[in-house]
Amino acid sequence: SDLGHSLRPYAKALLALALSREGQFARASALFADLAREFPANPTFSRELALAQARSAASKPSPAPG
């Protein structure tokens, strides 16, 4: 039980990275946000959250002119 609890953040980070690579930026952002809240002293999670959010915004289609 203790091992599973200690590996949970690692598994969550790996899943978030995989989701980001698959283009599922919104789901990746949610996981990175959880990790950033859980580990505020770790700048990696905040940085990855910002990247996933930026990529999510950039991947959304722009509205048609007119």
Side-chain angles (χ1 to χ4, degrees), residues 1-26:
S1 168
D2 288 339
L3 179 62
H5 181 70
S6 63
L7 291 178
R8 184 173 185 207
Y10 180 70
K12 192 182 279 190
L14 287 177
L15 177 58
L17 287 170
L19 288 168
S20 187
R21 287 190 179 113
E22 292 294 319
Q24 297 183 38
F25 303 116

Side-chain angles (χ1 to χ4, degrees), residues 36-54:
R37 276 191 298 275
E38 190 174 347
F39 301 98
N42 188 334
T44 301
F45 298 133
S46 296
R47 183 179 63 242
E48 290 295 333
L49 171 59
L51 285 170
Q53 289 173 331

